[in-house]
Amino acid sequence: MIVQSTAKKKGLVGIKDPIENLRHYQASLITVSFRQIDISKKPASFRTARAAGRIKLKRSTVDRIRKGLAEKGDPMSLAKISGIMAAKRTSELLPLCHPLKIESTTIETSLSPSGIEVTATVSATEKTGLEMEALTAATVALLNVWDVVKAYEKDSRGQYPTTRIQDVRVVRKVK
Amino acid sequence: MIVQSTAKKKGLVGIKDPIENLRHYQASLITVSFRQIDISKKPASFRTARAAGRIKLKRSTVDRIRKGLAEKGDPMSLAKISGIMAAKRTSELLPLCHPLKIESTTIETSLSPSGIEVTATVSATEKTGLEMEALTAATVALLNVWDVVKAYEKDSRGQYPTTRIQDVRVVRKVK
Amino acid sequence: MIVQSTAKKKGLVGIKDPIENLRHYQASLITVSFRQIDISKKPASFRTARAAGRIKLKRSTVDRIRKGLAEKGDPMSLAKISGIMAAKRTSELLPLCHPLKIESTTIETSLSPSGIEVTATVSATEKTGLEMEALTAATVALLNVWDVVKAYEKDSRGQYPTTRIQDVRVVRKVK
Amino acid sequence: MIVQSTAKKKGLVGIKDPIENLRHYQASLITVSFRQIDISKKPASFRTARAAGRIKLKRSTVDRIRKGLAEKGDPMSLAKISGIMAAKRTSELLPLCHPLKIESTTIETSLSPSGIEVTATVSATEKTGLEMEALTAATVALLNVWDVVKAYEKDSRGQYPTTRIQDVRVVRKVK
Amino acid sequence: MIVQSTAKKKGLVGIKDPIENLRHYQASLITVSFRQIDISKKPASFRTARAAGRIKLKRSTVDRIRKGLAEKGDPMSLAKISGIMAAKRTSELLPLCHPLKIESTTIETSLSPSGIEVTATVSATEKTGLEMEALTAATVALLNVWDVVKAYEKDSRGQYPTTRIQDVRVVRKVK
Amino acid sequence: MIVQSTAKKKGLVGIKDPIENLRHYQASLITVSFRQIDISKKPASFRTARAAGRIKLKRSTVDRIRKGLAEKGDPMSLAKISGIMAAKRTSELLPLCHPLKIESTTIETSLSPSGIEVTATVSATEKTGLEMEALTAATVALLNVWDVVKAYEKDSRGQYPTTRIQDVRVVRKVK
């Protein structure tokens, strides 16, 4: 107990174990052994992955979008471009991902009374799956929707009581 | 009806209106007027924003994380670094965001039996709010958790029946 | 008429059509369906593309370059490096471009009394053409020439009466 | 003469001077002293710059754009987003540019029978001018127009007889 | 002992402690608490930092550089540009660094019989020091020297018996 | 002599030769002909490269690391992630490098009383060697170690009397 709170106070990683003679193990304890999977021996094959997610918006914001009244621009158009771009940056955002040469990214959007659903489909002939690329594309597209309707989602105190990104998931992965 | 499906078939944007004499409006119709908010006249002030989200994981994956058995590395450590880095890239991922000089990003993670919750807090003295930076940090951190436990979340057909990113939200924004 | 100016005032995209019963089409109207061409089924082949362009400069600036008196550095050397680097960033600058693995970029420059001509040649074995890479390389090289001689091109009011980038074109594309 | 051609053959930089006893100067000869202007002592002030340029297109392509028939998406919408994004990347593309915090980028496009004109206006409170940012925004926006109408501009041999980026210029710079 | 080797075999981070009743501490044990220093409350002041390093090269490579015979280009010119660019990317390469607006980067190079010394000086008015920017600039400049003379440094088996980057250090830091 | 110092004063590149009638050669003199090696005709093969380097640290800093008391986070964990990420960015940092699709990067770290040794191993099936990628990974990993222990390495005047990056080298390259 005392140990834990001291650790917290000093910004330590892990515990400093109470048992003195374990102390010499600590150096290895605190190093996390991040590793990339080695894909060099795998064969390249055509792969595709589809991910989706949605953003919950206020009904009045949805109406505004439907009427083309989002001042910063149409969220669904922006979702498409930004999602396509984000797919290409996946290996920069995810340290352990391999750089892939994406051959097709499609972003579909659909507007419902409660928000916008985004689906991203990514394809390439590669040695590893594309689900992280599809998830990144969908997620960044949803963040862009948020950015573009920020002004309409904020309440009088500048907070976002309604806005949520939900259900970001892999719809289907095909190897 | 016919109009819609033709449009879809040709990959068109917008409708080709059935009323001939509206045709000359079409050029302006199809251009979306994306714009950045002009913040040049606003005063800079200290601002902070906190965003959070969670990733739903299989119970067995959570156990594995708890035991330090995630082969690619500890997801929570990776979430911290990747979230801090992502905050700095917000204006690259979100076309209409302004580049900000973030002065502090903190990523907190918490492991529960159903997954990992990530909270990102971003601060800076700037002319515009930091909620998109906090949301980007939290979201990319969650995507990194996914990436690092991919192997344990996939079922025998390579699909992800359980994994979901949920409830990405702004916890609090202070100007 | 009134519709148009209101739209403009509110920063709208497209018209709000005067015919009320078309209003339900508007949501689809305002979304631009950006798409990447799917190249996944195309065979890879050796491709090369050459693009060129020129920057018009003041005679006195050209003399200065010729004498090695450009204080920020020689514009043609900078054009070479920056053009090679820009070719590699094409898919970041052009959202709908695919990431390619460029195998050779050559930037040639030639100084004439009226300015500098830049030619960029890019090659790779890929599924899609390299003309956008060559154009991006040539254009960014020219922008770097401008940057490096800015001080000599400005008039007393800080304007650029002479400087122009002209004739950016694809010289030849070979598949 | 002989000197020049030998130099060329060996891919040398500079001449190998014919006068033997100048040889010890050569090391300094071939190093280009690139330098960034030191702006640290300059006061920050509100600055804005506007740049423009145009892309010449086939009449049939312009008609297609006007009708919303560009399959990859509307070029003018894409020009807006990509131009805003490019302004933010200026200091990555131009090695000697300083990183600036752009506070507003506006991209305007106008379609004429002979092509598209793009105007980029960039503002910030900074220690150095924004003309390179405006020029970069306009130029990359024009490259994106090209990318999105590529299919319609190519002739039967895959060449671009009409397409040209022209008159990229600083319209006005205000400090 | 057994514990350690098992851990290693499974690619674990840290030990699985032999004492069963410590097992519930393990989750916190393996998470590294990366954090950015919060600089938001610090005053901005003019700061400068100088870093240096050198690359040891074969005498024959130095001769070649001196004669302008490095086929890929002059290493010292390339060192200057690439160092200036690298300084601007420091906060992308170093996750815990804050983004800074560098106002001046100067790269100096000096050729000696045993290699090239690179010195990088970086200045800005910021809330935190610039030594990491200067170190990054110097180091990347040295890597570029290596890249450009690779062909001359390799022995017959493709190895680099001589080439070394040495003594990368902070020469002086001034706040 | 006079020539040299004048050149220096004016920030010139190269000499202004004392022999008047060589003056017309100067334009070509001052342009450095940077070039990328053309790898398009080479066959792709499996390649791997290992590079290493070390950072000299104060004994007290090493003790602190061993005890898990580095406040910004464990340097060896950070070295791993940042090194993996840096390998992927090599072609952005080194202008003349080709973009490669790295298939595996492994960063190993080892703590000794005098500092940390970092080894980076990079593999891919490519047309050119990976030594620059391995060197970049090792070097950036070492810079991250420095960043994370900065506070402990500085003396009372804010200088770094001990810290040095040393012996960055290619351990082995295999084609």
Side-chain angles (χ1 to χ4, degrees):
Chain A
M1 237 40 172
I2 289 163
V3 166
Q4 281 280 23
S5 62
T6 306
K8 199 171 168 188
K9 216 172 54 201
K10 295 197 182 167
L12 303 186
V13 294
I15 61 160
K16 301 302 105 208
D17 14 356
I19 299 161
E20 192 54 30
N21 60 2
L22 281 186
R23 193 146 283 180
H24 57 290
Y25 287 125
Q26 293 182 351
S28 64
L29 261 182
I30 56 177
T31 295
V32 177
S33 190
F34 298 110
R35 66 186 63 203
Q36 246 188 341
I37 301 299
D38 183 345
I39 60 169
S40 60
K41 301 297 178 287
K42 298 173 74 176
S45 61
F46 178 73
R47 292 154 184 269
T48 187
R50 175 169 296 165
R54 62 193 161 78
I55 183 166
K56 195 172 174 318
L57 300 172
K58 285 159 65 179
R59 173 67 76 102
S60 58
T61 301
V62 170
D63 285 348
R64 191 180 281 269
I65 293 168
R66 184 167 281 129
K67 290 178 185 151
L69 295 168
E71 268 186 88
K72 289 173 74 176
D74 172 55
M76 292 182 289
S77 307
L78 184 61
K80 284 174 201 287
I81 293 185
S82 62
I84 291 171
M85 296 191 84
K88 293 189 268 191
R89 313 206 95 184
T90 304
S91 74
E92 292 181 18
L93 298 171
L94 281 64
L96 303 182
C97 269
H98 299 85
L100 304 183
K101 284 201 311 180
I102 294 170
E103 295 176 338
S104 168
T105 301
T106 306
I107 309 290
E108 288 156 296
T109 58
S110 108
L111 186 66
S112 79
S114 63
I116 291 176
E117 173 97 12
V118 169
T119 305
T121 310
V122 183
S123 305
T125 297
E126 288 286 357
K127 296 183 175 184
T128 185
L130 294 153
E131 62 268 46
M132 294 319 300
E133 281 71 15
L135 285 163
T136 301
T139 308
V140 172
L142 289 164
L143 288 170
N144 272 283
V145 170
W146 194 318
D147 182 44
V148 96
V149 300
K150 255 186 340 190
Y152 317 121
E153 290 287 304
K154 274 189 275 196
D155 66 15
S156 59
R157 293 166 304 126
Q159 307 303 315
Y160 295 86
T162 309
T163 337
R164 290 281 180 288
I165 292 175
Q166 296 285 21
D167 279 331
V168 178
R169 64 201 181 277
V170 174
V171 176
R172 184 128 190 271
K173 190 191 156 187
V174 181
K175 177 161 62 172
Chain B
M1 237 41 171
I2 290 163
V3 167
Q4 282 280 23
S5 62
T6 306
K8 200 172 167 188
K9 216 171 57 202
K10 295 195 182 167
L12 303 186
V13 293
I15 61 161
K16 301 303 105 206
D17 357 11
I19 299 161
E20 191 56 30
N21 60 0
L22 281 187
R23 192 145 285 179
H24 56 290
Y25 286 125
Q26 294 183 350
S28 64
L29 262 182
I30 56 177
T31 296
V32 177
S33 190
F34 298 109
R35 67 186 62 205
Q36 247 187 341
I37 300 300
D38 183 345
I39 59 169
S40 60
K41 302 297 178 287
K42 298 173 75 176
S45 61
F46 179 73
R47 292 155 184 270
T48 186
R50 175 169 296 164
R54 61 193 161 77
I55 183 166
K56 196 173 175 315
L57 299 172
K58 285 159 64 179
R59 173 66 76 102
S60 57
T61 302
V62 169
D63 286 348
R64 189 180 283 267
I65 293 168
R66 184 167 281 130
K67 289 178 187 151
L69 294 169
E71 268 186 88
K72 288 173 73 175
D74 172 54
M76 292 182 290
S77 308
L78 184 61
K80 284 174 202 286
I81 293 185
S82 62
I84 292 171
M85 296 192 83
K88 294 189 267 191
R89 314 206 93 185
T90 305
S91 74
E92 292 182 19
L93 298 172
L94 281 64
L96 303 182
C97 268
H98 299 86
L100 304 183
K101 284 202 310 179
I102 294 170
E103 295 176 338
S104 168
T105 300
T106 307
I107 309 290
E108 287 156 296
T109 58
S110 108
L111 186 66
S112 78
S114 63
I116 291 176
E117 172 97 12
V118 169
T119 305
T121 310
V122 183
S123 306
T125 297
E126 287 286 357
K127 297 183 174 185
T128 185
L130 293 153
E131 62 266 47
M132 295 318 302
E133 280 71 15
L135 285 164
T136 301
T139 308
V140 172
L142 290 165
L143 287 170
N144 272 284
V145 170
W146 195 317
D147 183 44
V148 97
V149 300
K150 256 185 340 187
Y152 317 121
E153 289 288 304
K154 275 189 275 193
D155 66 15
S156 59
R157 292 166 305 127
Q159 308 302 316
Y160 295 86
T162 308
T163 338
R164 291 280 180 288
I165 292 176
Q166 295 286 18
D167 278 330
V168 178
R169 63 200 180 277
V170 174
V171 175
R172 185 126 188 272
K173 190 191 156 187
V174 181
K175 177 161 63 172
Chain C
M1 241 32 175
I2 290 164
V3 167
Q4 281 280 22
S5 61
T6 307
K8 200 172 168 186
K9 216 170 55 200
K10 295 196 182 166
L12 303 187
V13 294
I15 62 161
K16 302 303 105 205
D17 355 9
I19 299 160
E20 191 53 30
N21 59 2
L22 282 186
R23 193 146 283 179
H24 58 289
Y25 286 124
Q26 293 181 352
S28 64
L29 262 183
I30 56 177
T31 296
V32 177
S33 190
F34 297 110
R35 66 186 62 204
Q36 248 188 341
I37 301 299
D38 184 345
I39 59 169
S40 60
K41 300 297 178 286
K42 298 172 75 176
S45 61
F46 178 73
R47 292 155 183 269
T48 187
R50 174 169 296 165
R54 62 195 160 78
I55 183 166
K56 195 173 175 317
L57 299 173
K58 284 160 63 179
R59 173 66 77 102
S60 57
T61 302
V62 170
D63 286 347
R64 190 180 282 269
I65 293 168
R66 184 166 279 129
K67 289 178 187 152
L69 294 168
E71 268 185 89
K72 289 173 73 176
D74 172 55
M76 293 182 289
S77 307
L78 184 61
K80 285 174 201 287
I81 293 185
S82 62
I84 292 170
M85 297 191 83
K88 292 189 269 191
R89 315 205 93 186
T90 304
S91 75
E92 291 182 18
L93 298 172
L94 280 65
L96 303 181
C97 269
H98 299 85
L100 304 183
K101 285 201 310 179
I102 293 170
E103 295 175 339
S104 168
T105 300
T106 306
I107 309 289
E108 288 157 295
T109 57
S110 108
L111 186 67
S112 78
S114 63
I116 292 176
E117 172 97 11
V118 169
T119 305
T121 310
V122 183
S123 305
T125 298
E126 287 287 356
K127 297 182 175 186
T128 185
L130 293 154
E131 61 267 48
M132 295 319 302
E133 281 71 15
L135 286 164
T136 301
T139 308
V140 172
L142 290 165
L143 288 170
N144 273 284
V145 170
W146 195 318
D147 184 43
V148 96
V149 299
K150 254 186 341 188
Y152 317 121
E153 290 288 303
K154 274 189 275 194
D155 66 16
S156 60
R157 292 165 305 127
Q159 308 303 315
Y160 295 87
T162 309
T163 337
R164 291 281 179 287
I165 292 175
Q166 296 285 20
D167 278 330
V168 178
R169 64 202 180 275
V170 174
V171 175
R172 186 126 189 271
K173 191 192 154 187
V174 181
K175 175 160 63 173
Chain D
M1 239 35 172
I2 289 163
V3 167
Q4 282 279 23
S5 63
T6 307
K8 200 172 168 187
K9 213 170 59 200
K10 293 194 183 170
L12 302 187
V13 294
I15 60 160
K16 301 304 106 202
D17 357 8
I19 299 159
E20 191 54 29
N21 60 0
L22 281 187
R23 193 147 283 180
H24 57 289
Y25 285 126
Q26 294 181 351
S28 64
L29 261 183
I30 56 176
T31 295
V32 177
S33 189
F34 297 108
R35 66 186 62 204
Q36 247 188 340
I37 301 299
D38 183 346
I39 60 169
S40 60
K41 301 298 177 286
K42 297 173 75 176
S45 61
F46 178 73
R47 292 154 184 269
T48 187
R50 175 169 296 165
R54 63 194 160 77
I55 183 166
K56 195 172 175 319
L57 299 173
K58 284 159 66 177
R59 173 66 77 99
S60 57
T61 302
V62 170
D63 285 348
R64 190 180 282 270
I65 293 168
R66 183 167 282 129
K67 290 179 185 149
L69 295 169
E71 268 185 87
K72 288 173 75 176
D74 172 54
M76 292 182 289
S77 308
L78 184 61
K80 283 174 203 287
I81 294 185
S82 62
I84 291 171
M85 297 191 82
K88 293 188 268 191
R89 315 205 94 182
T90 304
S91 74
E92 292 182 18
L93 298 172
L94 280 64
L96 303 182
C97 269
H98 299 85
L100 305 183
K101 285 202 310 178
I102 293 170
E103 295 175 339
S104 169
T105 301
T106 306
I107 309 290
E108 287 156 296
T109 58
S110 109
L111 186 66
S112 78
S114 63
I116 291 177
E117 172 97 12
V118 169
T119 306
T121 310
V122 183
S123 306
T125 297
E126 287 287 356
K127 297 183 174 184
T128 185
L130 294 154
E131 62 265 48
M132 295 319 301
E133 280 71 14
L135 286 163
T136 301
T139 307
V140 172
L142 290 165
L143 288 170
N144 272 284
V145 170
W146 194 319
D147 182 43
V148 96
V149 300
K150 255 185 342 188
Y152 317 122
E153 290 288 303
K154 273 189 274 194
D155 66 16
S156 59
R157 292 164 306 125
Q159 308 302 317
Y160 295 86
T162 309
T163 336
R164 291 280 179 289
I165 291 176
Q166 296 285 19
D167 279 331
V168 177
R169 65 201 180 277
V170 175
V171 175
R172 185 124 189 272
K173 190 192 156 185
V174 181
K175 177 159 62 172
Chain E
M1 241 31 176
I2 290 164
V3 167
Q4 280 281 23
S5 62
T6 307
K8 199 172 168 188
K9 214 170 58 201
K10 295 194 182 168
L12 302 188
V13 294
I15 62 160
K16 302 303 105 205
D17 359 7
I19 299 160
E20 191 54 28
N21 59 2
L22 281 186
R23 192 145 285 181
H24 56 292
Y25 287 125
Q26 294 182 351
S28 64
L29 260 182
I30 56 177
T31 295
V32 177
S33 190
F34 298 109
R35 65 186 63 206
Q36 246 187 341
I37 301 299
D38 184 345
I39 59 169
S40 60
K41 301 297 178 286
K42 299 174 74 176
S45 61
F46 178 73
R47 292 154 183 272
T48 187
R50 175 168 296 164
R54 62 193 162 77
I55 182 166
K56 195 172 175 316
L57 300 173
K58 285 160 64 178
R59 173 65 78 100
S60 57
T61 302
V62 169
D63 286 346
R64 190 180 282 269
I65 293 168
R66 184 167 280 130
K67 290 177 186 153
L69 295 168
E71 267 186 272
K72 289 174 74 177
D74 171 55
M76 292 182 290
S77 307
L78 184 61
K80 284 174 201 287
I81 293 186
S82 62
I84 291 171
M85 297 192 83
K88 294 189 268 191
R89 316 206 93 185
T90 304
S91 74
E92 292 182 17
L93 298 172
L94 281 63
L96 303 181
C97 268
H98 299 86
L100 304 183
K101 284 202 310 178
I102 293 170
E103 295 176 339
S104 169
T105 301
T106 305
I107 309 290
E108 288 157 295
T109 58
S110 109
L111 186 66
S112 78
S114 63
I116 291 176
E117 171 97 12
V118 169
T119 305
T121 310
V122 183
S123 306
T125 298
E126 287 287 356
K127 297 183 174 183
T128 185
L130 293 154
E131 63 267 48
M132 295 318 302
E133 281 72 14
L135 286 163
T136 301
T139 309
V140 173
L142 290 164
L143 288 170
N144 272 284
V145 170
W146 194 319
D147 182 44
V148 96
V149 299
K150 255 185 343 187
Y152 318 120
E153 290 288 303
K154 273 189 277 193
D155 66 17
S156 60
R157 292 164 307 124
Q159 308 303 315
Y160 296 86
T162 309
T163 338
R164 290 281 180 287
I165 291 176
Q166 295 285 20
D167 278 330
V168 178
R169 63 200 181 277
V170 174
V171 176
R172 186 126 189 271
K173 190 191 155 187
V174 181
K175 176 160 63 172
Chain F
M1 239 35 172
I2 289 164
V3 167
Q4 281 280 22
S5 62
T6 306
K8 199 172 171 187
K9 214 171 59 200
K10 295 194 182 169
L12 303 188
V13 294
I15 60 160
K16 301 304 105 202
D17 351 13
I19 299 159
E20 191 55 29
N21 60 1
L22 281 186
R23 192 146 285 179
H24 57 289
Y25 286 126
Q26 293 182 352
S28 64
L29 261 183
I30 56 177
T31 295
V32 177
S33 190
F34 297 109
R35 66 186 62 206
Q36 245 187 342
I37 301 300
D38 183 347
I39 60 170
S40 60
K41 302 295 177 287
K42 298 172 72 176
S45 61
F46 178 73
R47 292 155 183 269
T48 187
R50 175 169 296 165
R54 63 193 160 78
I55 182 166
K56 195 173 175 316
L57 299 173
K58 284 159 63 177
R59 173 66 76 102
S60 57
T61 302
V62 170
D63 286 348
R64 191 180 282 267
I65 293 168
R66 183 167 281 129
K67 288 177 186 153
L69 293 169
E71 267 185 89
K72 289 174 73 176
D74 171 55
M76 292 183 291
S77 307
L78 184 61
K80 285 175 202 285
I81 293 186
S82 62
I84 292 171
M85 296 192 82
K88 293 190 269 191
R89 314 205 94 184
T90 304
S91 73
E92 293 181 18
L93 298 172
L94 281 63
L96 303 182
C97 268
H98 299 85
L100 305 182
K101 286 201 310 178
I102 294 169
E103 295 176 339
S104 168
T105 300
T106 306
I107 309 290
E108 288 156 295
T109 58
S110 107
L111 187 66
S112 79
S114 63
I116 292 177
E117 171 98 11
V118 169
T119 305
T121 310
V122 183
S123 306
T125 298
E126 288 286 356
K127 296 182 174 184
T128 185
L130 293 153
E131 62 266 48
M132 295 318 302
E133 281 71 15
L135 286 164
T136 300
T139 308
V140 172
L142 289 165
L143 288 170
N144 272 284
V145 170
W146 195 318
D147 182 44
V148 97
V149 299
K150 255 184 343 187
Y152 317 120
E153 290 288 304
K154 274 189 275 193
D155 66 16
S156 59
R157 292 165 305 125
Q159 307 303 315
Y160 295 86
T162 309
T163 337
R164 290 281 180 289
I165 292 176
Q166 296 285 21
D167 278 331
V168 178
R169 64 202 180 276
V170 174
V171 175
R172 185 124 189 273
K173 190 190 156 187
V174 182
K175 176 161 64 171

